[in-house]
Amino acid sequence: MKEYQVVLIDKNLKKKSGILDLSAWENANCLSDFSSPWNSDPISKIEFRALWDFENLYFKFSVFDTDIYIDEKDNSFDSIGNSDRVELFFRTDNSLNPYYCLEIDTAARVMDFMAKPNKDFDFSWKWPKEDFNTKASKDEISFIVEGNISIESLNKLHLIQNNTIETGIFRAKFSKDENQNYQPTWISWVNPNTAEPNFHIASSFGKLILMK
């Protein structure tokens, strides 16, 4: 399994909102090893960073793409699911029974749900609001999605094992096809080695190692 080392920082570096100050991210390792195994077209550069401080796990996606598609018909999960977004999946073990999904679009709208094998999704499940915070921003060359998840909530869900969080890190990129319909390109940190795009499978996960 691929591994990413999550650097431990002083908790005083964070902002009052719970998201880290820009200077804090200079401490983080940069993960940019993303690909779309099912599509040969070039993909925009993606940088993922994570940090922690015993109270929270912090994450940040920087996606160097300004051609962003967002479905704004409403704020439903269907709308988020039809928009450019980044995704984090967390599991206790490779049985995927259960695992937990956070999908966040470029407007910081969140689709969070619990899942079981074979894409058995429970959309009634929500990550507790007091344990999760996110925001999104854009500039001339990229969009950023960042947030924090409380260590307490990760422990309650048994997602930290031996200072390791088994995690899937993904992106969905929507582009127009020849019929002017938006279609997704699926991008992953780990190649799950499937014939068709599928993140909801044990082979799509890597490890976040909480350093001390």
Side-chain angles (χ1 to χ4, degrees):
M1 293 177 68
K2 285 186 175 181
E3 295 184 356
Y4 171 88
Q5 293 185 346
V6 183
V7 174
L8 177 67
I9 58 169
D10 189 305
K11 65 181 181 180
N12 294 320
L13 287 175
K14 67 185 179 182
K15 288 184 176 180
K16 291 181 179 179
S17 64
I19 308 294
L20 291 178
D21 187 75
L22 183 61
S23 62
W25 290 111
E26 296 174 359
N27 298 279
N29 294 312
C30 178
L31 187 160
S32 59
D33 186 16
F34 291 87
S35 66
S36 179
W38 313 278
N39 190 322
S40 60
D41 294 337
I43 62 171
S44 300
K45 183 180 180 181
I46 303 167
E47 293 181 347
F48 173 83
R49 292 173 172 83
L51 296 163
W52 78 298
D53 64 3
F54 291 106
E55 293 182 353
N56 287 283
L57 172 71
Y58 303 92
F59 62 88
K60 179 180 182 180
F61 289 85
S62 300
V63 182
F64 293 84
D65 181 7
T66 57
D67 183 19
I68 299 167
Y69 177 68
I70 183 166
D71 183 342
E72 296 180 303
K73 67 178 181 290
D74 54 37
N75 289 320
S76 67
F77 279 6
D78 283 344
S79 179
I80 299 170
N82 289 325
S83 300
D84 282 12
R85 62 189 185 278
V86 295
E87 305 179 1
L88 290 171
F89 293 1
F90 303 105
R91 70 183 193 190
T92 54
D93 55 49
N94 62 9
S95 72
L96 300 183
N97 191 22
Y99 60 107
Y100 302 89
C101 306
L102 293 171
E103 306 192 9
I104 311 163
D105 73 7
T106 60
R109 299 182 303 180
V110 178
M111 176 165 55
D112 50 345
F113 57 97
M114 181 174 65
K116 294 183 179 180
N118 301 313
K119 298 185 179 181
D120 179 6
F121 302 152
D122 179 2
F123 289 107
S124 67
W125 183 89
K126 304 292 182 190
W127 209 288
K129 287 186 177 181
E130 65 272 17
D131 292 313
F132 175 67
N133 187 28
T134 188
K135 69 177 184 180
S137 59
K138 303 172 188 175
D139 59 27
E140 295 82 5
I141 60 171
S142 66
F143 70 85
I144 293 171
V145 174
E146 57 189 309
N148 66 282
I149 304 169
S150 76
I151 295 298
E152 181 181 7
S153 67
L154 291 166
N155 278 321
K156 283 181 179 178
L157 296 171
H158 308 291
L159 294 173
I160 303 177
Q161 309 285 340
N162 299 316
N163 291 320
T164 298
I165 308 172
E166 296 188 4
T167 307
I169 308 174
F170 314 108
R171 182 195 175 200
K173 162 64 180 175
F174 280 78
S175 304
K176 283 185 178 179
D177 62 16
E178 60 274 14
N179 297 316
Q180 301 301 299
N181 296 316
Y182 281 94
Q183 300 294 337
T185 296
W186 302 103
I187 300 165
S188 179
W189 170 36
V190 176
N191 182 353
N193 293 304
T194 57
E196 300 295 330
N198 188 1
F199 298 159
H200 299 271
I201 190 169
S203 57
S204 71
F205 285 71
K207 293 181 177 180
L208 302 186
I209 310 298
L210 302 179
M211 306 302 292
K212 293 185 177 179

